[in-house]
Amino acid sequence: MGDSEAQLPLAQLAVSIDNGAMANVSIPPPGASSGDELGWTLDRHILERQRRVQGATGDFTGLFQSIALAARVIASKVQKAGLADVLGATGATNVQGETVQKLDVLANRILIRCVEAGGHVCVMASEENDEIIPIPAGYPHGKYVLMFDPLDGSSNIDVNISIGTIFSIHRRRTASGPGTVEDCLQRGTEQVAAGYVIYGSSTMLVYTTGDGVHGFTLDPLVGEFFLSHENLQIPATSPTYSINEGNRSRWTPGVARWVDTLKSNDAPGGKPYGLRYVGTLVADFHRTLLRGGVFAYPGDKKAPEGKLRLLYEAAPMAFIAEAAGGAATNGAGTRILDIEPGQLHQRVPLFIGSRDEVRFAEETIAKG
Ligand code: FDP
């Protein structure tokens, strides 16, 4: 794919023409024209975009295929986790000082191995690695940058609760050769694509290139992702909130007031909201994407920047949320996608979900 093709709308694909102008060409939405029981595979969904773009190189498609392969391999490891010796901790801690689980390490290795040789990326960064991950000697450097949280929700691995993988794709900033940290430190608005895989009651891959959010469910017998949720939209409102209330004693007065309001008859809608909290961002976000509501991991007295990582968690989820009609802020008036990262493992407070719910959080917290 060419540099801009990854961001083109699917149903009204804009095709580059020689003089640099863009002509809009209508194509049938995926699924509508497939006319058979096979449905649309993830590969085909991505390929259809590539085929309609003049000058497409196939790089974005190739990168996506590598990510999808990694997702299938990780899904198969997760399913057998209790049988293979991959449950439990490694005994090490990561750059954030958190316990590293065996499955974290395995998933990280799988993603790196699946992507590093493809020639599509110039550098990678992972929540599990202190520094950027270079492309091994002898392999070409591509034009994209891949950042990921290989296994989100580590504390839920051993208790068989949904976990996930989050990824974010940017174009490189440097001109050529090995990518650098500068290629990774880009604002969320610069993302070419973002997505996540949820290893839940089924395995799903959800992605956006910024112009619609599409969900694919893995058929484990076929070993392929099929389009199951097209053009997902987050409901504008929904009376559900998702936050770790165990941290309440450390919250700011504004955050405490907001949650108290949601639990009272003063909540929007005049009755208390329901609480849902899995403790895996991917799972809490996935529910919020499908059902609406708001997920928050605020900053508090102990951790003013909260817990979640900007580049591997907040920014990709914010890209998806906005593409689905939702919103994502830091709870203090700043859009997550506008935050300029200063470090690879930077944390950020996150308020994400239904547009009106995020706005209500912002307004209530601002009153202090
Ligand atoms: P985990 O520590 O289990 O990996 O990113 C880390 C994360 O999970 C998120 O997936 C999740 O939303 C959050 O932390 C849960 O944190 P708490 O246990 O503090 O609620």
Side-chain angles (χ1 to χ4, degrees):
M1 276 194 173
D3 268 2
S4 60
E5 71 243 38
Q7 286 181 325
L8 297 175
L10 190 67
Q12 260 211 326
L13 200 64
V15 177
S16 320
I17 51 176
D18 284 348
N19 62 5
M22 306 289 272
N24 284 330
V25 177
S26 284
I27 61 166
S33 65
S34 55
D36 58 46
E37 60 288 345
L38 182 62
W40 279 58
T41 63
L42 175 61
D43 268 6
R44 175 150 183 209
H45 198 263
I46 306 277
L47 267 168
E48 289 293 333
R49 306 176 72 108
Q50 182 194 318
R51 287 215 180 92
R52 286 162 172 77
V53 176
Q54 232 176 35
T57 63
D59 259 328
F60 182 80
T61 305
L63 173 55
F64 228 90
Q65 285 169 338
S66 306
I67 295 170
L69 171 62
R72 294 196 301 268
V73 178
I74 297 170
S76 98
K77 303 288 180 202
V78 168
Q79 270 178 357
K80 291 181 287 215
L83 303 173
D85 181 28
V86 292
L87 290 183
T90 58
T93 51
N94 66 13
V95 65
Q96 285 92 25
E98 298 158 345
T99 304
V100 177
Q101 304 292 316
K102 290 182 194 168
L103 215 48
D104 284 329
V105 174
L106 188 62
N108 198 38
R109 216 165 44 219
I110 291 167
L111 254 161
I112 295 169
R113 288 282 174 274
C114 285
V115 174
E116 67 185 1
H120 310 302
V121 301
C122 62
V123 68
M124 290 179 269
S126 162
E127 195 202 290
E128 293 302 325
N129 291 60
D130 298 4
E131 310 291 341
I132 54 171
I133 305 163
I135 302 308
Y139 292 111
H141 296 101
K143 63 184 172 207
Y144 292 109
V145 175
L146 176 66
M147 292 183 280
F148 50 86
D149 178 353
L151 213 65
D152 174 62
S154 302
S155 54
N156 281 329
I157 296 173
D158 288 0
V159 289
N160 214 341
I161 294 177
S162 297
I163 48 182
T165 297
I166 309 172
F167 60 90
S168 162
I169 302 172
H170 288 259
R171 282 186 202 91
R172 68 179 304 166
R173 270 183 170 167
T174 51
S176 59
T180 68
V181 72
E182 184 199 334
D183 291 308
C184 298
L185 298 181
Q186 300 193 47
R187 271 183 298 146
T189 45
E190 305 302 314
Q191 288 174 101
V192 171
Y196 62 84
V197 185
I198 178 166
Y199 312 104
S201 48
S202 60
T203 297
M204 274 189 73
L205 186 151
V206 175
Y207 89 96
T208 184
T209 52
D211 58 354
V213 178
H214 309 292
F216 298 78
T217 302
L218 180 66
D219 181 334
L221 293 180
V222 181
E224 186 57 82
F225 285 102
F226 290 94
L227 182 64
S228 52
H229 298 64
E230 192 179 5
N231 263 323
L232 285 163
Q233 286 287 313
I234 304 184
T237 61
S238 180
T240 306
Y241 72 105
S242 185
I243 191 168
N244 185 344
E245 292 224 39
N247 294 331
R248 185 190 169 91
S249 62
R250 301 199 294 252
W251 287 345
T252 61
V255 171
R257 175 215 289 270
W258 168 59
V259 173
D260 286 347
T261 308
L262 295 182
K263 291 158 72 168
S264 74
N265 288 335
D266 294 332
K271 55 182 190 203
Y273 278 33
L275 166 65
R276 294 285 183 280
Y277 190 73
V278 178
T280 295
L281 173 63
V282 169
D284 283 313
F285 178 77
H286 187 66
R287 182 198 57 251
T288 305
L289 177 64
L290 296 184
R291 297 273 160 80
V294 56
F295 169 89
Y297 209 110
D300 59 33
K301 290 176 203 152
K302 184 174 157 221
E305 297 309 315
K307 177 178 186 188
L308 302 178
R309 268 57 54 135
L310 174 61
L311 292 174
Y312 317 109
E313 296 177 310
M317 291 314 203
F319 198 54
I320 297 167
E322 288 201 5
T329 73
N330 68 351
T334 302
R335 186 180 170 220
I336 294 292
L337 294 180
D338 284 336
I339 297 174
E340 189 83 47
Q343 302 168 30
L344 273 185
H345 295 285
Q346 181 170 333
R347 296 175 195 260
V348 69
L350 178 64
F351 292 74
I352 192 166
S354 296
R355 197 190 50 223
D356 293 354
E357 304 302 338
V358 173
R359 190 188 308 132
F360 183 71
E362 286 273 344
E363 287 167 1
T364 314
I365 291 167
K367 290 180 192 155

